[in-house]
Amino acid sequence: MKNIYFLIILMVFLLSSCSTMKTIKFTQKSNEVQTTDALSLFLSKVKNPKVVLRVRETSNNVTDKENNDYLYNAIENQLMASGFIVRDRQLFNQIIGNAENNVNYENLNKKSDTDLIIELTKLDRSVLYETNKYFDSNGNEKADEFNGPFRKYGATVEFKVVLIKNNQFAGLYDFNYTPCTDGCVIAQSFKDVKNQIKTIRKTGIQPYEGVEKNELEEFIKAATRNLVAEIRK
C-alpha cells in the first residue's frame, strides 16, 4: 500500500512542476436542434402533452441497463417538473409490442393515451477532449510538449421526438457536455499535492471511465430542460 501512495505522490509531483499551477479550458461544443412545424403547432394547442420515454437498449448486459436507470428517472422527473404527463415506459412497451397496435398508430395513440414519444437515441459518456495548451497562474496561454496532451471526458445525448398518432417525425435534439469550460486545474502547488494525497489516503482511489456519475446526471437534467425549452419555442 505504501508503494502505491509513493507512486501516486511521484506522478502528481512530476506533473505539477511543484509550484506552478496549470489550468486547461475547452470551448463548449454547440448543440444541434431541429423542431418541425407539426410539433410546434401541436404544442401550441396542447400545453400538457402526454409523453413516454423510450430507450434504445444497445447492451445485453442487465447490469449496464440497471446502471442507467438513474438517468432515465432523471429525464422523466425533469419532464414532469416541466408540466408533461409522463407515461410508464414498461407498460407502453407492452402495448406497442402488440402487432395490431404496432401497425395502427391511431390505435396505439388511443390505447396508450400518449401523444409524444421522446426517444433517447444516443448517450455517450466517453467523448474525449484533449489539448496541449494550458494557462499558467498569471493567465498566460502556453503549450506543454512534455506532459500533454491533457485529456478530459465529455458527454453527448440525443433525443428524437415522434408524434405518435400518425408516427410523424417531430424533432431531433443533440446536446453536449463539454468539460472544463470554466477551467480545470491539472497541475498544483506542492502544498495542494500533499492535501490531495491526504484525501486519497482517507477515501481511496475511485476508478471511473468517462464522465463521473454525478456530473453525468446533472448534464442529463440540464439537457432535458433544454429539450423542453426547445420544443416549446
Side-chain angles (χ1 to χ4, degrees):
M1 185 63 72
K2 289 183 179 180
N3 289 335
I4 293 176
Y5 289 132
F6 174 77
L7 289 174
I8 294 172
I9 294 171
L10 180 61
M11 290 176 65
V12 176
F13 179 81
L14 290 174
L15 291 175
S16 63
S17 300
C18 299
S19 60
T20 302
M21 186 175 73
K22 297 180 181 179
T23 303
I24 59 172
K25 292 183 180 181
F26 293 107
T27 301
Q28 175 65 47
K29 186 176 181 181
S30 60
N31 301 320
E32 297 182 14
V33 298
Q34 179 184 354
T35 303
T36 64
D37 292 337
L39 179 58
S40 297
L41 179 61
F42 173 80
L43 290 175
S44 69
K45 299 177 180 179
V46 181
K47 301 302 180 184
N48 302 103
K50 301 166 185 175
V51 304
V52 65
L53 176 68
R54 295 204 70 199
V55 179
R56 288 186 179 181
E57 300 291 0
T58 57
S59 171
N60 293 321
N61 189 315
V62 176
T63 302
D64 288 344
K65 295 176 183 178
E66 291 176 347
N67 286 344
N68 283 330
D69 280 345
Y70 77 101
L71 296 176
Y72 307 150
N73 292 335
I75 294 171
E76 291 175 331
N77 288 337
Q78 289 298 315
L79 291 173
M80 287 189 289
S82 299
F84 287 72
I85 300 171
V86 179
R87 296 306 190 203
D88 182 83
R89 274 179 283 134
Q90 293 183 345
L91 180 60
F92 183 85
N93 287 335
Q94 291 176 5
I95 296 173
I96 203 172
N98 184 294
E100 177 186 353
N101 295 331
N102 205 20
V103 173
N104 191 322
Y105 286 95
E106 187 173 357
N107 284 345
L108 180 59
N109 171 242
K110 292 178 180 178
K111 291 184 179 182
S112 66
D113 193 21
T114 304
D115 301 310
L116 300 173
I117 296 174
I118 297 178
E119 185 174 358
L120 181 62
T121 53
K122 180 175 67 175
L123 175 60
D124 187 350
R125 69 189 71 197
S126 300
V127 180
L128 186 63
Y129 289 76
E130 62 180 9
T131 181
N132 70 338
K133 297 179 181 179
Y134 70 92
F135 295 88
D136 63 19
S137 56
N138 295 319
N140 299 314
E141 184 179 285
K142 298 181 178 180
D144 192 327
E145 301 298 336
F146 299 99
N147 297 318
F150 307 108
R151 297 180 174 91
K152 290 287 184 180
Y153 283 111
T156 184
V157 62
E158 182 182 81
F159 297 100
K160 182 174 76 172
V161 180
V162 176
L163 281 161
I164 194 173
K165 189 172 183 178
N166 53 3
N167 192 33
Q168 183 178 1
F169 169 79
L172 190 65
Y173 307 86
D174 197 328
F175 300 107
N176 297 288
Y177 166 63
T178 302
C180 305
T181 54
D182 295 324
C184 291
V185 176
I186 48 98
Q188 303 169 314
S189 67
F190 186 62
K191 179 180 178 180
D192 291 332
V193 171
K194 289 195 296 183
N195 290 334
Q196 184 177 353
I197 298 304
K198 289 180 181 178
T199 301
I200 292 174
R201 285 176 175 171
K202 290 180 180 179
T203 63
I205 300 173
Q206 305 298 320
Y208 70 93
E209 182 175 354
V211 178
E212 292 185 84
K213 183 175 179 179
N214 60 334
E215 293 180 16
L216 185 63
E217 184 174 6
E218 290 305 314
F219 162 61
I220 289 296
K221 289 178 180 178
T224 307
R225 291 193 294 269
N226 288 337
L227 169 67
V228 172
E230 290 293 339
I231 67 178
R232 279 184 166 164
K233 279 185 176 180

